[in-house]
Amino acid sequence: MEFELEPTVRRIVALADRLDRDDRDVPWPRRRADAAAQARRLRRVVMADGPAMASEVNHLVPVEGGRIYVREYRPRAGRLPVHVFLHGGGWCVGSLDERDPRCREIAAGADCVVFSVDYRMAPECSFPTAPEDCFGALAWIVDEADRLDVDASRLSVSGESAGANLAAVLCLMSRDRSGPPIAYQWLDVPATDLTMKQPSVASTPPGYLLDHRAMVDYRDAYLRTVEDRTDPYASPLHAPDLSGLPPAWILTCGADPLRDDGTAYASALRDAGVDVVERHLAGHVHPSFAFTRIASAAAYQRDAVDALRTALHT
């Protein structure tokens, strides 16, 4: 199956394919370092730095079994709404630094304080550590709202790919545990079914910046057992009840193996009575929606941030 990519996306994919190598035998710490170095190089080319913040602060937050960093992006003084952001990377790689520009754009554009969560990663910290860390960070933000000078009664979450998986799970956890009420969820290219049985997983060929082999590698490093694949806190599409969840904004991309994960979750949420806005970037690959030096990606981000601002301020 061939996909018609936007010209700039096609050039980026061609370059990445020339540089790609099989890293399955490389230890995970080295893979994280290599991924971070590649992300820094790519970020300079495909992303603007984002607007200056009034402050950026790293908080060391206690969670079950340890402590994690949560980075706060404040666009201006005042008691602003809260947005929790969860980076992607297959639950195994990724960092706060890689999405600094995006968090700044969200904070400034939606007029909110963004908290980016540095959850612990697999395989050293397998499921359910990452979602529990995210829930712990959410609870900490709400508990410390007065000290942080934020309005935790206006609360939203978002993430990308594995981070979107965690954002969707965070909404489930908060509902199930009578946790902080979340007003809005923004899910970009989410992984929602870790059985990997959605049709686009098999029908999307290699060479579009997310391959089946890599997906299996990350999934199997993250989960402890085969049974975990259908645990709702790993695969939110398998939750028996999706009612009572916050309104959702969901993005899918054309040449993305996870395309049908997002479409299926949007449909399941609607069937459960949840308001959903579904957007699709046909000429993009899995991560390129975030390449904001591309006009269509920049326009998408503006639309998504505007929708978040409306959700938080009306």
Side-chain angles (χ1 to χ4, degrees):
M1 184 175 184
E2 294 292 329
F3 294 92
E4 184 65 32
L5 301 181
E6 292 191 15
T8 304
V9 175
R10 186 170 60 247
R11 290 193 292 271
I12 293 170
V13 168
L15 175 61
D17 283 346
R18 288 197 296 272
L19 298 175
D20 191 32
R21 61 185 179 84
D22 189 343
D23 60 359
R24 279 175 289 185
D25 295 328
V26 177
W28 281 104
R30 174 63 183 276
R31 290 167 73 167
R32 288 190 196 107
D34 290 347
Q38 183 178 12
R40 285 193 296 271
R41 292 192 296 269
L42 189 61
R43 174 178 145 179
R44 289 194 293 268
V45 175
V46 300
M47 287 184 183
D49 285 338
M53 295 286 98
S55 64
E56 294 183 17
V57 180
N58 285 340
H59 303 279
L60 192 57
V61 174
V63 292
E64 183 68 30
R67 296 186 296 176
I68 61 173
Y69 280 105
V70 174
R71 183 171 296 170
E72 173 191 337
Y73 301 82
R74 177 176 289 275
R76 63 175 179 85
R79 198 169 180 83
L80 300 177
V82 171
H83 183 72
V84 176
F85 178 84
L86 306 171
H87 69 77
W91 310 276
C92 297
V93 302
S95 71
L96 299 182
D97 294 341
E98 291 172 22
R99 286 300 185 252
D100 269 341
R102 196 154 208 239
C103 289
R104 293 174 188 135
E105 294 284 0
I106 294 170
D111 196 28
C112 62
V113 179
V114 173
F115 292 89
S116 184
V117 179
D118 192 23
Y119 53 88
R120 289 171 290 180
M121 288 186 285
E124 297 90 342
C125 297
S126 59
F127 175 80
T129 301
E132 293 293 351
D133 280 357
C134 295
F135 187 77
L138 176 70
W140 178 85
I141 293 164
V142 172
D143 288 345
E144 297 290 327
D146 288 342
R147 183 179 66 82
L148 295 168
D149 194 25
V150 295
D151 181 0
S153 69
R154 293 181 289 168
L155 176 62
S156 58
V157 300
S158 74
E160 305 170 357
S161 189
N165 166 280
L166 293 170
V169 168
L170 189 55
C171 293
L172 283 169
M173 296 174 84
S174 196
R175 181 202 64 181
D176 295 347
R177 299 176 180 183
S178 300
I182 297 172
Y184 187 77
Q185 56 179 321
W186 166 11
L187 312 177
D188 282 331
V189 295
T192 64
D193 180 6
L194 299 196
T195 69
M196 294 176 52
K197 291 180 179 177
Q198 296 302 314
S200 60
V201 173
S203 65
T204 305
Y208 292 101
L209 301 193
L210 180 62
D211 296 346
H212 186 271
R213 174 198 59 78
M215 292 171 62
V216 171
D217 199 24
Y218 285 124
R219 192 251 338 247
D220 290 352
Y222 177 51
L223 300 181
R224 303 159 301 179
T225 67
V226 171
E227 290 73 24
D228 284 343
R229 296 176 187 177
T230 55
D231 187 309
Y233 291 168
S235 293
L237 187 60
H238 289 265
D241 178 14
L242 294 175
S243 63
L245 294 175
W249 172 287
I250 298 177
L251 171 71
T252 57
C253 289
D256 181 5
L258 291 176
R259 178 178 66 253
D260 290 340
D261 275 51
T263 300
Y265 197 58
S267 178
L269 286 171
R270 288 192 193 97
D271 288 346
V274 177
D275 290 336
V276 179
V277 173
E278 191 175 357
R279 295 288 299 271
H280 182 70
L281 292 176
H284 281 258
V285 297
H286 181 70
S288 63
F289 71 90
F291 298 170
T292 50
R293 293 192 188 277
I294 301 173
S296 57
Y300 166 73
Q301 180 161 284
R302 285 194 298 271
D303 288 348
V305 171
D306 286 348
L308 175 63
R309 183 183 185 116
T310 298
L312 291 175
H313 290 276
T314 56

